[in-house]
Amino acid sequence: MKNENLGRDEAARRSRTITVDSYDVSLDLRGARDPEAAGFPSRTVISFRCSEPGSGTFVDFIHGGIHSVTLNGRAVGPAAAVDGARIRLADLDTDNEVIISGTALYSRSGEGLHRFVDPADGRTYLYTQYEPADARRVFAIFEQPDLKASFTFHVAAPAEWQVVSNAAEAVRDPMSSTPGYSVWRFAPTRRIATYITAVLAGPYHRAEDAWERRLPDGTVLRVPLGAYCRASLAEFFDADRIFEVTKQGLDFFHDLFDYPYPFGKYDQAFVPEYNLGAMEYPGLVTFTEDYVFRSRATRAQYQGRANTILHEMAHMWFGDLVTMAGWDDLWLKESFADYMGSLALAEATEYTDAWVSFANRRKAWAYVQDQLPTTHPVVADIPDLEAAKQNFDGITYAKGASVLKQLVAYVGFEAFRGAARRYFRDNAYGNTTLADFLAALGAASGRDMQDWSRLWLQTPGISSLAAEPAYDGGRLAGVRIRQESAGPASGVLRPHRLRLGFYDFQAAGGALVRTASPELDVAGAATEVPELAGLPAPALLLPNDGDHSYAKLRLDARSLETVLAALDRIADPLARALCWTTLWDMTRDAELPARSYVAAVQRFAPAEADPGLHQVLLENARVAVEYYSPAEVRSGLREGLLAALRHELGQAQPGSDTQLVWARALAVLARRSAGSAAFLAGLLEGSAAVPGLAMDPDLRWRCWQALAATGLAGQSGLDAELPADRTAAGQTGYLAAMTARPDPEVKAQAWRDAVTGSALSNQLLDATIDGFSQGKPGLLAPYTEPYFQSLEQVWAGKSIELATRIARG
């Protein structure tokens, strides 16, 4: 459908003349359970004002047909008004009402109103996913974030379903015309952006709770809490644990922002085939149901879920209460939520080591993304919606959060908190730009933020920092902090507020502990630190100790030697995380051989206490083997790493998180090793056993995929496994294994299904791509040129979500 890609200039012109007051939206989902029903009736009443009477505008609607358009009581012929995904409105009055009725289409891609049929029980589930601009797939709308309005939803659906929206249910009316169906009518929302409206409908399982807080005036703020998942997952749904984190977050943000939660109720729904980790719809946050742990979950998985819960909760203020005016300032919500999620996790929950996880996972993601040709500034140039869709990446999220952590170190936490509070008070229910937040921050800190913003937010790329010590015998003669920047950041020298860590051994063979950590301001290409002269030369000199700034680190020769010999003896877990990140970054930059990184993982990873860090290190080691090592040594490195995994699997405490992480890593690496896959076959059939290791559905499918990729399992074996796990996760695990088989025709069919077919949902497409990519590279060589030749056709013929999955996968 043409005209789907809205340009920034078009949106700006529309917002100059149009002010939207309200939407009244009616959705008829009575036919949702009929697989032959491609769409559903959608009716929208929009009340809006125009500052230029007599002019025209357009409404956005990606539809399956328009039934009628009425503007200010005048019928407008659809043939004249409909222009692809736009409905043209001419000769506007000052005050206007347009009524648009049409057919909206159910989605299999996770964009718009997604329809899912549960393979476990055949029940139908619906949910909406709109970011950045897919509300227009469900109802007619002025689809841009700066045209906020109040929304009232009416939804017709089977009477036994749960139907939920942003606001509380006002009334539910049985339909006398259609017994067994009801109409849910919801209260009007506050003024919110179009992309954060939401509807959930289906036979969902529901849990309830409430959060209460006494306000300074003596009144009690009570927020009803709800949690939803599919009925077939109810036995695995740990709603109490979810509510515990939710209440901890509401307490924390209430105190931090000094602005009460603004959206009445707080529902959280865990939904199938979700394109994102989660989405911050006010009053109805949605999450991937991967967070409903059907198989055994590690502490790191629970921590990841808690982080996501708190990330989305931070959006209730950063993004929902105050919304960026345009997608150029996407960072105003995503960077802040990413930072605030980790802050709340560390300060308000049991996961007090959250900043270590942030360094190991989020920040490492940002470092990789910031060295790709696709990097961009945190405050990006977003000319249209297609560019906006691609901007939800490691730069906007993790680099933005890392830069905010540096900002807090730069201006002080009290100034940062004061700026946030003023920002919410001044801009509640409105829209803002970069200038608005910088003004609040400048007022709170007394600093001119323009240069900081230019260097950190408006310039792409990453700097590197190295401490260069000079020695005088066993003491320092001085230290220089050298800063370099390459690639898109070439020549950009950013200001850094950081600490320089001094680490020494307590005794021979003892722990490596911090002996000093002076705070420094680093600027320019070289910063001399003469006051360090005369101090004893440390075994390890660690730039950016405490991980406050954002930069690649390089160690001097003495410090690198210490790390490669004694990384496991560094007492501080965050310092170890920085050293692990530095080794990995040096490997990626070909400054450290892949074999050296793999050797470090094999030697030191078992001593780490955090299974979440094990997961990161083992995946890095796999990538080092398969992609960064020379072909002639790759097989030997792989088998050596597999042997180490087998050994540690046997040594791990039975039933522990660590044991499970080793087993999962072994299954992934064994996709290219028939010998190790044979050991996994023994685990599946029971001829081999690891004490305490539960072969739950998730681990079983990982093992089956390794067997299939190495030719040790065929269709008959996979078909026999499927009946024991007829769930959505089982279906994707089976499909990934089926397409992993090392058969040219299997790969050809997988290619056709993914690239030229249209039957796969978003989740099944991912499973097909995952399986296709497994196994020996020679099988995939014939697809190298067709891949590049197909990209334009894929982009033109599929939704942006599915096209992106194919291009990346």
Side-chain angles (χ1 to χ4, degrees):
M1 184 174 288
K2 67 176 182 177
N3 292 335
E4 290 185 15
N5 191 19
L6 178 68
R8 177 176 54 200
D9 294 341
E10 294 177 298
R13 285 195 297 270
R14 187 162 62 176
S15 65
R16 283 196 294 268
T17 59
I18 296 299
T19 302
V20 188
D21 295 314
S22 66
Y23 290 86
D24 192 274
V25 180
S26 298
L27 306 177
D28 187 347
L29 307 180
R30 287 177 291 175
R33 292 180 293 193
D34 178 4
E36 300 301 316
F40 56 94
S42 172
R43 180 179 184 270
T44 308
V45 181
I46 312 174
S47 297
F48 67 99
R49 286 166 281 147
C50 177
S51 62
E52 297 178 0
S55 66
T57 190
F58 61 91
V59 176
D60 307 293
F61 192 14
I62 300 175
H63 55 84
I66 300 297
H67 307 154
S68 65
V69 179
T70 303
L71 175 62
N72 298 330
R74 309 186 309 270
V76 180
V82 178
D83 179 14
R86 298 180 180 182
I87 299 171
R88 305 283 181 182
L89 305 177
D91 195 21
L92 297 174
D93 295 338
T94 300
D95 296 294
N96 301 273
E97 180 184 84
V98 61
I99 305 173
I100 300 171
S101 296
T103 297
L105 301 176
Y106 293 112
S107 168
R108 296 290 312 285
S109 67
E111 301 156 296
L113 183 64
H114 189 78
R115 178 169 61 180
F116 175 83
V117 178
D118 191 339
D121 56 21
R123 295 181 178 185
T124 299
Y125 291 87
L126 305 171
Y127 63 86
T128 54
Q129 205 311 99
Y130 293 156
E131 192 173 45
D134 286 319
R136 58 192 172 143
R137 295 181 184 274
V138 178
F139 56 97
I141 197 167
F142 293 109
E143 184 76 288
Q144 56 191 81
D146 60 342
L147 289 180
K148 284 186 163 183
S150 173
F151 291 82
T152 302
F153 286 96
H154 315 268
V155 181
E160 71 273 17
W161 279 14
Q162 298 278 356
V163 179
V164 194
S165 188
N166 303 93
E169 178 184 323
V171 65
R172 189 185 313 180
D173 296 324
M175 300 183 71
S176 57
S177 61
T178 317
Y181 295 85
S182 295
V183 176
W184 280 256
R185 305 187 191 281
F186 295 93
T189 69
R190 303 295 295 263
R191 290 186 67 83
I192 59 176
T194 56
Y195 73 92
I196 52 175
T197 58
V199 171
L200 181 85
Y204 286 92
H205 167 75
R206 173 182 169 86
E208 297 179 357
D209 205 330
W211 173 81
E212 293 185 350
R213 187 66 179 270
R214 185 170 296 278
L215 301 179
D217 63 3
T219 62
V220 174
L221 174 63
R222 185 178 190 276
V223 177
L225 307 178
Y228 298 83
C229 71
R230 285 187 289 129
S232 62
L233 292 177
E235 64 178 298
F236 309 108
F237 196 41
D238 54 341
D240 288 347
R241 194 165 184 166
I242 291 166
F243 286 140
E244 179 185 18
V245 174
T246 303
K247 293 175 184 179
Q248 290 168 335
L250 287 170
D251 279 333
F252 179 79
F253 289 124
H254 179 91
D255 292 338
L256 179 67
F257 296 146
D258 193 29
Y259 195 109
Y261 171 70
F263 296 109
K265 67 183 180 68
Y266 200 86
D267 289 328
Q268 297 173 98
F270 295 79
V271 299
E273 296 191 324
Y274 204 49
N275 286 335
L276 310 173
M279 181 63 199
E280 68 269 17
Y281 303 116
L284 177 56
V285 182
T286 47
F287 299 83
T288 171
E289 69 177 19
D290 290 347
Y291 285 133
V292 180
F293 300 123
R294 191 176 64 106
S295 296
R296 173 143 184 264
T298 64
R299 183 179 185 274
Q301 287 176 281
Y302 284 108
Q303 179 174 343
R305 182 177 70 180
N307 182 274
T308 303
I309 289 172
L310 297 171
H311 173 115
E312 302 309 322
M313 188 179 291
H315 273 308
M316 299 299 121
W317 290 266
F318 281 110
D320 294 357
L321 177 66
V322 183
T323 309
M324 68 280 160
W327 294 109
D328 302 67
D329 282 315
L330 175 62
W331 77 283
L332 278 174
K333 73 183 190 77
E334 294 302 349
S335 301
F336 282 84
D338 220 45
Y339 170 74
M340 289 295 174
S342 291
L343 179 66
L345 198 65
E347 299 291 331
T349 76
E350 66 181 277
Y351 304 108
T352 55
D353 58 347
W355 289 118
V356 178
S357 298
F358 180 84
N360 284 326
R361 292 174 176 269
R362 305 298 286 181
K363 207 166 192 178
W365 178 35
Y367 287 155
V368 171
Q369 293 266 300
D370 214 7
Q371 296 177 81
L372 298 178
T374 49
T375 191
H376 56 81
V378 174
V379 179
D381 178 32
I382 306 296
D384 54 38
L385 289 177
E386 286 196 4
K389 181 74 172 179
Q390 300 306 316
N391 205 41
F392 290 81
D393 60 10
I395 304 300
T396 301
Y397 284 74
K399 180 181 179 178
S402 303
V403 167
L404 287 177
K405 192 178 183 190
Q406 166 64 185
L407 173 63
V408 171
Y410 182 63
V411 303
F413 185 79
E414 292 301 318
F416 181 81
R417 181 177 63 182
R421 291 176 171 183
R422 176 174 177 175
Y423 179 72
F424 297 136
R425 290 193 301 270
D426 290 351
N427 301 290
Y429 303 104
N431 296 89
T432 58
T433 65
L434 166 65
D436 296 306
F437 184 76
L438 292 182
L441 190 60
S445 67
R447 290 177 179 262
D448 182 353
M449 302 305 302
Q450 297 305 314
D451 280 347
W452 183 92
S453 172
R454 177 178 58 83
L455 292 170
W456 279 108
L457 298 178
Q458 296 166 280
T459 304
I462 186 171
S463 306
S464 64
L465 296 174
E468 298 179 338
Y471 299 104
D472 182 5
R475 295 187 175 273
L476 292 174
V479 175
R480 172 189 296 117
I481 307 298
R482 178 170 48 83
Q483 179 177 188
E484 294 181 346
S485 54
S490 181
V492 176
L493 301 174
R494 298 181 170 109
H496 300 264
R497 182 75 172 168
L498 53 78
R499 293 182 179 274
L500 183 61
F502 285 60
Y503 290 81
D504 266 309
F505 295 101
Q506 284 185 315
L512 194 57
V513 299
R514 181 186 294 110
T515 57
S517 186
E519 193 167 9
L520 310 174
D521 282 313
V522 172
T527 300
E528 300 287 348
V529 195
E531 60 269 26
L532 301 180
L535 293 177
L540 168 62
L541 196 59
L542 184 61
N544 198 27
D545 193 30
D547 197 32
H548 294 292
S549 196
Y550 174 83
K552 295 164 60 173
L553 304 182
R554 290 296 179 262
L555 301 174
D556 64 275
R558 176 180 177 137
S559 296
L560 180 59
E561 182 180 353
T562 297
V563 167
L564 290 175
L567 197 160
D568 58 332
R569 291 159 61 188
I570 300 173
D572 182 72
L574 185 52
R576 285 201 311 278
L578 289 174
C579 291
W580 277 118
T581 298
T582 299
L583 293 183
W584 179 233
D585 190 69
M586 292 176 68
T587 304
R588 292 187 68 256
D589 284 356
E591 296 177 18
L592 185 73
R595 64 179 181 276
S596 297
Y597 183 84
V598 174
V601 171
Q602 292 177 199
R603 181 178 178 185
F604 301 129
E608 293 289 349
D610 179 10
L613 178 56
H614 291 152
Q615 184 177 331
V616 172
L617 298 178
L618 295 175
E619 174 59 16
N620 288 349
R622 184 189 71 82
V623 171
V625 168
E626 303 295 355
Y627 300 105
Y628 296 161
S629 62
E632 62 271 16
V633 304
R634 191 170 301 144
S635 178
L637 273 180
R638 183 189 302 120
E639 294 304 321
L641 181 56
L642 282 164
L645 289 172
R646 287 273 300 275
H647 173 76
E648 295 302 332
L649 179 61
Q651 295 297 308
Q653 181 181 348
S656 65
D657 285 0
T658 299
Q659 183 189 57
L660 183 58
V661 169
W662 292 119
R664 289 173 176 175
L666 176 63
V668 174
L669 191 61
R671 293 171 178 177
R672 294 186 180 177
S673 171
S676 292
F679 168 72
L680 299 179
L683 293 178
L684 286 170
E685 65 187 21
S687 61
V690 176
L693 181 65
M695 295 300 293
D696 57 36
D698 174 75
L699 185 56
R700 290 187 67 85
W701 283 119
R702 290 174 189 254
C703 292
W704 277 112
Q705 289 162 20
L707 267 61
T710 53
L712 298 182
Q715 181 169 351
S716 60
L718 300 175
D719 287 347
E721 178 76 11
L722 184 59
D725 188 20
R726 288 202 176 278
T727 64
Q731 191 176 39
T732 58
Y734 170 81
L735 184 56
M738 287 288 287
T739 54
R741 292 174 294 159
D743 181 328
E745 182 48 40
V746 168
K747 300 303 182 185
Q749 186 60 51
W751 175 273
R752 290 191 292 269
D753 290 344
V755 176
T756 61
S758 59
L760 296 175
S761 68
N762 50 355
Q763 186 167 318
L764 297 181
L765 175 63
D766 273 355
T768 300
I769 292 172
D770 181 32
F772 174 86
S773 304
Q774 293 179 27
K776 296 181 179 179
L779 270 175
L780 305 183
Y783 297 96
T784 301
E785 289 307 318
Y787 166 78
F788 290 104
Q789 294 163 3
S790 72
L791 286 179
E792 288 189 1
Q793 180 183 351
V794 165
W795 200 260
K798 295 184 182 293
S799 74
I800 192 170
E801 178 64 37
L802 298 184
T804 298
R805 288 170 185 251
I806 293 169
R808 289 179 174 168

